[in-house]
Amino acid sequence: MYFEASLAEKARKFLRLVLKRYAFPPNDITIEVSTNCGQGCAVCFRGPLEVSPADMSYALFSKVLSEIKAAYGEGRPRYLNFVGLGEPFCNPELGAMLRLAAKTFPGTGLNLSTSLSSFDRAGFAALVRDGIVNRLSVSLDGLEPGASFHPFTAEVRGNFDYLKELKKSLPGFKVRVQTLITSRAGAEEAVTLAADAGAEEIQLMRVDLHAFKKGPPVSRPPLAEERAIVKAAAGLAAARGLRCRNNNAYDIFMDLASAFDRYCLTADDHIFISAEGDVLPCFYLREVKFGSLASQSLAEIAAARDKSDFYGSQKLFCAGCDIYKRDHAGGGGA
């Protein structure tokens, strides 16, 4: 969450990245409560990574929270993000999990990500009414009804309309729309939809290709065109009162800290906890397991991570990934 950090936090992050160190306990924690999903989006990594459908149990979730709590003592993480290679609303215990998280870490921001394809309207409204969820992040990767890589159905549009009305009566949560950078028309259409739905922010994300060894499911623009699309979308967003954020444009300090794209910009202060309780560097590196919160403490896992020399291995593990890089790592796509 670099864009929302204070100047002091950014300075500490810069030093960690330069020195190849990690924050402990981490401030940015992602918990994957489900790898189930009702959609078969072509841009999803679940298929290429052969991720089996599973829901995190409430018992395991409680154990995960207790280990995070033990690491923090009287403190708390800045964020708990509920996202992964699945739809969180597919887990029938999602509401109870979020309430437990809010009780365990009062004041911590709870960010819930969804495609709005499996959306529990009544359950979500109750969470908002009780002040549980701080932000809903909605993945919107295409507005075409029959799009093969993320269908924009009548149900999804209806849920956008519902969120707009819900914000009028219960304004205690924010909406962020995330969309892939595929074309200028697509990006601007997403900005317009986000603004019409009452969202506060839109996040532009590059189509990452390195999981699709048999060929990418969708082409992406080359770097110069990508930057032009981002500039046009940012201008439209500003005119509509939206914050516009681009994952591939930080600042000169982060460019230096990453050694100009050699190192990941999230590894220093982020952990990903899979539906099985495994602690990973990110949602993509499913086999790079530092340990499991099902049987270990977060401190034990952090010690194992420190010994693993993950920074030294990033050239091998992350060579094709450019989700957070300035330049294309894998060319222009199909």
Side-chain angles (χ1 to χ4, degrees), residues 201-283:
E201 179 181 5
I202 184 161
Q203 180 179 348
L204 306 175
M205 306 174 68
R206 177 181 291 161
V207 180
D208 191 66
L209 305 176
H210 68 305
F212 305 99
K213 295 179 174 58
K214 295 182 179 180
V218 61
S219 62
R220 66 179 183 184
L223 186 59
E225 184 181 349
E226 175 189 280
R227 289 294 178 257
I229 292 171
V230 169
K231 183 177 180 179
L236 178 59
R240 294 296 307 271
L242 283 173
R243 291 189 302 274
C244 185
R245 180 181 130 192
N246 174 18
N247 266 0
N248 308 112
Y250 286 75
D251 53 38
I252 185 59
F253 301 106
M254 288 298 97
D255 292 341
L256 290 170
S258 69
F260 291 95
D261 286 350
R262 289 181 59 195
Y263 298 103
C264 177
L265 287 170
T266 66
D268 67 298
D269 197 23
H270 172 260
I271 59 169
F272 181 89
I273 303 168
S274 74
E276 294 76 28
D278 296 324
V279 177
L280 319 174
C282 72
F283 72 93

Side-chain angles (χ1 to χ4, degrees), residues 116-119 121 152-160:
L116 287 182
S117 60
S118 300
F119 185 59
R121 293 183 179 183
F152 186 70
T153 63
E155 179 185 6
V156 173
R157 182 174 290 279
N159 285 331
F160 263 108

Side-chain angles (χ1 to χ4, degrees), residues 69-128:
K69 179 66 175 176
Y72 267 93
E74 296 301 315
R76 59 179 174 81
R78 184 172 184 178
Y79 298 99
L80 286 178
N81 303 298
F82 295 86
V83 63
L85 294 185
E87 171 56 62
F89 282 99
C90 286
N91 191 318
E93 297 187 284
L94 175 64
M97 290 175 166
L98 292 171
R99 291 180 183 278
L100 180 61
K103 181 179 178 180
T104 305
F105 296 108
T108 289
L110 302 186
N111 177 54
L112 180 62
S113 293
T114 177
S115 66
L116 287 182
S117 60
S118 300
F119 185 59
D120 178 3
R121 293 183 179 183
F124 180 73
L127 291 169
V128 174

